[in-house]
Every structure is written in C-alpha cells, then in structure tokens.
Amino acid sequence: MKDTKMQAMENVDTLEVIASHKALGADIAGIDLSKPLSAHQLDTIRQAWQEHLVLRFRNQGHVSFEQQIAFSKHFGPLDKRPTVSHGMSKTHDELPPEIAVISNVKVGGVPVGALGDGEAVWHADMTYNEFPPKGACLFSKEVPPSGGDTHFANMYMAYDSLSDELKQRIQHLSCVHDASRNSAGELRLGFTDNTDPTQTVGAVHPLVTTQPQTGKKALMLGRRRNAYIKGLALQESESLLDALWAHATQDRFTWTQVWTVGDVMMWDNTCTLHKRDAFDPHSRRLMYRTQIASR
C-alpha cells in the first residue's frame, strides 16, 4: 500500500495545465482527485484557477462524495446546498449537506435534483445574496448523448473591452439582483412572483467589482431577469442592462464545456457568467456540485 506522500508525489509529477486558448478555461491533466494533494500541486491549481477562471479535470468518475468535498475545501469553506424550488426525493435529502444535485432524473415521480432539462440562462450563482459564493465544483456522473453543454463567459475581459465612456457611466452604479427565481426560471420556495424590476427583492451589488488580489476589474451582472439599477428610471435601467448583457455574452468572451462522464468543472463565480443548454428530457443528466463560500 502506497503512503499518502507517495500518492501526492505521483500527482505532482504528472500535473499539466493546458489552456483552452479561448477567453477562459484550461484542462488540468495528469491528476487524480481521489488522491491526496501536495502543497505544490495545490499552488499550481490555484494559480491556474486565477489565470484561467474555469478549470476542467477529466476522467474523475471514481471520485466519491467525500473526496469531492475534500478537494473543494482546499479552496475555501463550503456552503451547504441551497434551498431548491421543489420538494426533492429522500435520496437527495440523505446526501452530505455540502452536495447539491443538478439533475432531471426522477425517482417515483419525484426529482433527485434541481434545474431539470431546460435551458439555464446566463447567470452567476446566488448573487442575490449579500455574499455570493466564491466558486463551485460540478462533477458529472451521467450525461445526455447531446445537449446540456455549459458555456462560461469572462467578466474581466467583458469589462476591459467596454468603451471608456461606458466604464465611466457604470463606475459607481449598483444593481439589485432578483432572489425570487433560479437560473431555470423556477420560482423559489417562499417567494411570490414579481414583474416590476423596481420592486425586486435581493442583494444590491456594484456593477463593477475589483479582485482584491490582482486589482483587476470585472462586470458583476448576476442575473438579467428583474435586475434593476438603483437610482435610475426603469426605462434607463433596462436599456443600460440590455446593453451590458449583450456586450458581456458575446462569443469572443466565452468557452464551452461539452460534458463527458467523470468531468469535474471548477469555476470562479466572482468574475464569470455561465449558462446551460437544454437537452432531451427523456435522457438522463446527473451532476453533483459543491459550492465554495466567499467567507
């Protein structure tokens, strides 16, 4: 039996960062997330995460819940899974509290996870909270034969490419982020429907944030539905948000993950957006997510 130090050394010797050569994204190859990680290995992953914003680890289908949780904890404390929009199966509720299920699978007519099979529109996770998560790790156990791809967008690049005039205009503006619906458009438990953005309930965040380690600025858009820029007339808020969203989600700022079984995707929620394509409701998609807290 090899000791943990030897296992970690094996991981370090083969670790490789392979950039996507797109606006963001990189593969971390030659690593087994079920094995212990050395300090050098973790430093390499952290540096790659800061540089590429989204990391992919292939061929991790053997990783257990406990190992996924342990890996995620290297990058910060973990949140407990968020409240979902509908009642979940007993199987879901018995999982470790750090594990959230993203799935269209049902057992006895009851969902085992959230977000179903429809499109999940562009968003950052849980920005309707005062302290949104720092990031997430999403692990694929079952994937449909087509569809269900996840797209990521670089909000550093989106901000940097704005005109100087628009940068100046949004520099001190803040936006209310709607808490009532999830990224699949489902009304969350405990919320009532609202169609007036000026009455949106949720946290308020600046449109421009600064990364504390590097000083880089990024757009913080969160979710488009019912977003409202404080202090502006509704029509002006809608027009400005439409322009920012159209700019930030251009193909030149994006990279697409086409899922295979055993992929682990890790993204920085503070400076990216992501969305998911719809897929055939008769096929199965099963994902397990851990969420890295901001504090």
Side-chain angles (χ1 to χ4, degrees), residues 34-51:
S34 71
K35 294 181 179 179
L37 305 175
S38 73
H40 177 267
Q41 186 176 28
L42 286 168
D43 285 344
T44 301
I45 294 171
R46 289 190 184 101
Q47 183 176 349
W49 196 26
Q50 181 171 298
E51 179 179 353

Side-chain angles (χ1 to χ4, degrees), residues 150-168:
T150 302
H151 309 267
F152 296 91
N154 184 332
M155 293 299 100
Y156 289 135
M157 192 176 289
Y159 173 79
D160 288 342
S161 60
L162 290 173
S163 67
D164 290 341
E165 179 183 358
L166 192 48
K167 286 179 182 177
Q168 184 66 29

Side-chain angles (χ1 to χ4, degrees), residues 13-150:
D13 289 343
T14 58
L15 188 151
E16 184 179 7
V17 180
I18 305 169
S20 71
H21 300 296
K22 301 291 185 180
L24 69 174
D27 280 293
I28 306 298
I31 186 172
D32 184 343
L33 298 184
S34 71
K35 294 181 179 179
L37 305 175
S38 73
H40 177 267
Q41 186 176 28
L42 286 168
D43 285 344
T44 301
I45 294 171
R46 289 190 184 101
Q47 183 176 349
W49 196 26
Q50 181 171 298
E51 179 179 353
H52 299 287
L53 313 184
V54 179
L55 302 181
R56 178 171 61 192
F57 305 80
R58 295 279 204 191
N59 304 313
Q60 306 296 326
H62 56 287
V63 172
S64 68
F65 289 138
E66 292 74 18
Q67 289 163 343
Q68 181 181 354
I69 291 168
F71 170 72
S72 304
K73 282 183 175 178
H74 287 300
F75 306 96
L78 302 187
D79 290 324
K80 293 184 178 180
R81 57 175 167 265
T83 301
V84 294
S85 300
H86 303 293
M88 294 290 137
S89 69
K90 184 178 178 181
T91 302
H92 172 276
D93 294 340
E94 290 175 348
L95 292 174
E98 298 91 347
I99 297 290
V101 185
I102 310 299
S103 183
N104 68 320
V105 176
K106 294 183 178 180
V107 176
V110 181
V112 301
L115 299 184
D117 51 61
E119 179 185 9
V121 298
W122 283 113
H123 66 284
D125 290 330
M126 301 180 72
T127 58
Y128 50 83
N129 289 334
E130 183 180 0
F131 300 104
K134 174 183 177 182
C137 294
L138 187 59
F139 175 27
S140 62
K141 293 294 288 185
E142 297 182 57
V143 300
S146 63
D149 299 341
T150 302

Side-chain angles (χ1 to χ4, degrees), residues 158-173 207-208 219 221 229 232 236-237 239-248 250:
Y159 173 79
D160 288 342
S161 60
L162 290 173
S163 67
D164 290 341
E165 179 183 358
L166 192 48
K167 286 179 182 177
Q168 184 66 29
R169 183 181 178 192
I170 67 175
Q171 182 177 2
H172 300 298
L173 294 178
L207 282 172
V208 181
L219 285 176
L221 298 178
I229 299 176
L232 298 187
E236 185 180 4
S237 171
S239 177
L240 179 53
L241 285 171
D242 284 346
L244 290 173
W245 277 93
H247 172 80
Q250 294 178 76

Side-chain angles (χ1 to χ4, degrees), residues 273-287:
L273 295 174
H274 59 280
K275 72 170 185 174
R276 184 195 70 191
D277 293 336
F279 58 96
D280 183 350
H282 299 293
S283 60
R284 291 169 60 99
R285 188 177 190 267
L286 178 61
M287 309 278 188

